[in-house]
Amino acid sequence: MATFGGDMAQNGYTVEQMISAKAIAARIEDLAREIEATFKGTDKLVVVGLLRGSFVFIADLVREIDLPVEVDFLEASSYGDAMRSSREVRILKDLRGEIGGRDVLVVEDIVDTGHTLNHVMGLLRSRGPARIKTIALLDKPSRREVDFHADWIGFEIPDEFVVGYGIDYAQRNRNLPYIGKVKMDT
Ligand code: IMP
Ligand code: MG
């Protein structure tokens, strides 16, 4: 049985718990109530998860939303050039379903510079959804490069590199049940 020891040394860094699994679950309950109120009466809400980081969040979120829901996924990749403020965002995997005339909720793990969600929202809006909203588990407002605001945020965090609850560092740590910050060994 894995213990997920938060401070366990691994590959030159340790992970220190920042947001507990319990706190995440409590926040998701509140967010789900707000989402239900916003989309009350919808015939179907298409919940779109951005792969791969949102897979744990979307799984917990949809199970709290008491509305008719369809789940779809989209994968975008941002090729970052830290020195430039404009980044190329590519769609690696598009939605399977149509969203024209539908109510859509886009689910992201973290809004950082804002380029990914800004680009994805431009694309999805061009398909003519009835209503489209965004939710991100985490927001790092101090890192923003484009003016983007998610409709709902789980937690605002400082400029720290975080992992867990679906979020990775070099494809690792997605299975941590909490959000932790990466502390490089010195
Ligand atoms: P943005 O386009 O800069 O807003 O990119 C957001 C994406 O960058 C997120 O979906 C994550 O995949 C990734 N990202 C941003 N901050 C972190 C972090 O602290 N840990 C892991 N991935 C991150
Ligand atoms: Mg991502």
Side-chain angles (χ1 to χ4, degrees):
M1 176 73 183
T3 57
F4 300 109
D7 295 324
M8 193 172 51
Q10 44 177 305
N11 286 352
Y13 63 93
T14 55
V15 178
E16 185 181 280
Q17 181 171 299
M18 182 188 257
I19 307 169
S20 70
K22 227 176 144 174
I24 296 168
R27 183 73 184 116
I28 286 176
E29 282 186 31
D30 292 346
L31 291 165
R33 298 297 86 78
E34 293 181 26
I35 290 164
E36 287 164 0
T38 297
F39 289 105
K40 192 166 180 265
T42 186
D43 61 329
K44 185 176 71 180
L45 179 63
V46 183
V47 183
V48 172
L50 299 199
L51 293 171
R52 286 174 264 178
S54 73
F55 81 103
V56 176
F57 182 37
I58 192 176
D60 282 346
L61 184 66
V62 292
R63 284 181 289 176
E64 280 294 332
I65 297 176
D66 187 14
L67 290 173
V69 152
E70 181 177 317
V71 174
D72 206 340
F73 292 97
L74 184 146
E75 185 171 8
S77 179
S78 160
Y79 289 91
D81 174 346
M83 296 294 111
R84 284 186 316 180
S85 62
S86 89
R87 296 192 188 193
E88 190 196 345
V89 178
R90 277 178 31 198
I91 302 300
L92 302 180
K93 181 201 170 296
D94 206 339
L95 300 177
R96 286 290 295 274
E98 304 291 331
I99 57 165
R102 309 240 69 107
D103 288 330
V104 179
L105 177 66
V106 178
V107 181
E108 173 65 310
D109 54 358
I110 307 179
V111 189
D112 188 39
T113 64
H115 288 290
T116 305
L117 262 183
N118 198 45
H119 178 91
V120 165
M121 289 303 282
L123 173 73
L124 297 184
R125 280 207 178 90
S126 74
R127 296 177 185 176
R131 287 180 288 184
I132 184 162
K133 301 275 185 192
T134 53
I135 181 169
L137 179 66
L138 304 175
D139 188 14
K140 293 185 198 172
S142 64
R143 296 259 309 159
R144 204 72 92 250
E145 292 176 5
V146 291
D147 186 26
F148 182 86
H149 300 273
D151 296 288
W152 293 282
I153 290 294
F155 302 90
E156 196 174 296
I157 61 168
D159 182 12
E160 303 273 6
F161 197 84
V162 295
V163 293
Y165 199 73
I167 300 164
D168 74 301
Y169 174 36
Q171 298 309 323
R172 295 189 57 170
N173 304 111
R174 292 192 196 272
N175 57 332
L176 288 177
Y178 52 83
I179 298 287
K181 69 175 168 191
V182 170
K183 297 184 75 179
M184 302 310 294
D185 299 342
T186 43

